[in-house]
Amino acid sequence: MATNLFSWIKQNLFGQISCQRCIELLELITDGEASLEEEQQFRKHIDECLPCYETFNLEKSIKEMLQTKLEKKQVPDDLIQSIKKKIRNTA
Amino acid sequence: MPAEKLKQNYSSQEKEHIFEHEFLPHIDSMYNFAYRLTFDEDDAKDLVQETYLKAFRFLNSFQQGTNAKAWLFRILKNSFINDFRKKSKQPPKVDYQEVETFYNSDNVDVSMTTDLRVETVQHMIGDEVSNALNALAVDFRTVIILCDLEGFTYEEMSKILDIPIGTVRSRLHRARNLLKEKLQAYAKSMGYNK
């Protein structure tokens, strides 16, 4: 309870969040789902906390890796034509 | 969602226009999603074709100008689960027990167990990333594809998957932890981490 009160005071009076709260916000931030206030609290925290900063970088780099390194399959040339043909036949 | 229930009455010209300009531009993402679900080019092709035919058949339930991509992904995912997986000879790759345990909680657990490093991740090549992602059960793989590859919001994912946003978050969190485990194991086997 005392710890909770301490976190509450830090968060609400000084805008500081705990590492636990920071980790909770991590995915919301990387996914662009955090509110402006959450984003500000988060940025302030990782400016001062190296472990959380590193965890954030890892999370970001995994997301980037997925976006840039996975091979994109080429849509087969005949697929669109085949869909259109089927639609014409059923219409 | 009353808007979704409103039936439209499009003329054949309007239908053709919507199909051409709102649905077909997403075929690239749809095909890649289908391929990542089925791991087979022919199956992916059939699944995409089936999805587009259904989308055309139910076009009157689509409201022009709304999120066509999410609507199409929803149809594709339902076709995969309801029709396609039954027809396929492959056994389902979902570990339901594992999945259920985590779906029943809306709380996002904040455990960080990985000692995966940014440099390791940056050195991974496409095949390694692909193998790690493909090793995940289909429901976990799906949320990562929707969120990280296709950029859907939690709300859109919640509609595509028919689950509450809290479940989207916990499933995504669990999926990412599993992916990290796979990447970590891979990195270790390749001697990337000391």
Side-chain angles (χ1 to χ4, degrees), chain B residues 15-26:
Chain B
K15 280 187 180 175
E16 213 171 298
H17 184 87
I18 293 173
F19 196 81
E20 192 75 35
H21 295 94
E22 297 199 43
F23 292 179
L24 282 182
H26 301 296

Side-chain angles (χ1 to χ4, degrees), chain A residues 29-41:
Chain A
I29 302 283
T30 32
D31 294 335
E33 296 269 350
S35 67
L36 194 63
E37 191 191 357
E38 286 169 333
E39 174 125 19
Q40 283 167 348
Q41 290 174 341

Side-chain angles (χ1 to χ4, degrees), chain B:
Chain B
M1 283 160 278
E4 279 189 11
K5 292 208 173 98
L6 277 180
K7 285 261 178 199
Q8 310 294 313
N9 203 356
Y10 298 118
S11 67
S12 359
Q13 245 181 342
E14 284 171 324
K15 280 187 180 175
E16 213 171 298
H17 184 87
I18 293 173
F19 196 81
E20 192 75 35
H21 295 94
E22 297 199 43
F23 292 179
L24 282 182
H26 301 296
I27 197 159
D28 205 48
S29 298
M30 299 275 283
Y31 181 70
N32 275 277
F33 181 40
Y35 182 75
R36 297 211 171 276
L37 290 176
T38 60
F39 302 127
D40 182 274
E41 290 180 11
D42 289 333
D43 287 350
K45 210 170 143 179
D46 288 347
L47 188 53
V48 170
Q49 179 155 289
E50 201 178 302
T51 304
Y52 272 103
L53 294 181
K54 275 188 193 161
F56 189 78
R57 208 177 319 139
F58 299 115
L59 217 149
N60 281 334
S61 352
F62 174 76
Q63 250 194 320
Q64 200 170 1
T66 60
N67 195 334
K69 188 179 174 187
W71 195 68
L72 291 168
F73 266 68
R74 188 168 189 272
I75 300 175
L76 192 148
K77 169 246 157 198
N78 286 338
S79 299
F80 174 70
I81 288 174
N82 299 330
D83 310 331
F84 203 81
R85 214 152 57 175
K86 279 181 203 153
K87 275 186 242 159
S88 158
K89 288 184 190 101
Q90 275 191 324
K93 288 196 170 141
V94 194
D95 179 344
Y96 284 105
Q97 208 169 14
E98 182 183 35
V99 171
E100 281 311 311
T101 315
F102 289 95
Y103 290 1
N104 290 335
S105 159
D106 274 359
N107 297 326
V108 174
D109 85 279
V110 292
S111 58
M112 301 181 283
T113 45
T114 184
D115 53 348
L116 195 62
R117 287 184 291 183
V118 172
E119 308 86 76
T120 313
V121 170
Q122 285 167 345
H123 284 120
M124 293 258 168
I125 58 165
D127 281 354
E128 297 163 353
V129 183
S130 191
N131 288 342
L133 179 64
N134 294 349
L136 300 184
V138 69
D139 285 10
F140 290 132
R141 195 162 73 237
T142 300
V143 283
I144 290 190
I145 297 170
L146 295 180
C147 184
D148 294 334
L149 299 185
E150 295 303 334
F152 284 113
T153 63
Y154 293 167
E155 199 185 336
E156 287 167 336
M157 288 167 73
S158 146
K159 285 181 185 159
I160 294 170
L161 301 171
D162 276 320
I163 53 176
I165 288 182
T167 312
V168 169
R169 285 188 63 190
S170 57
R171 199 178 293 187
L172 196 52
H173 180 70
R174 179 70 187 146
R176 283 171 170 158
N177 276 350
L178 288 167
L179 183 71
K180 278 179 213 153
E181 277 173 29
K182 307 274 178 209
L183 292 170
Q184 174 69 21
Y186 198 80
K188 215 171 162 187
S189 75
M190 297 301 286
Y192 287 168
N193 279 5
K194 272 181 265 167

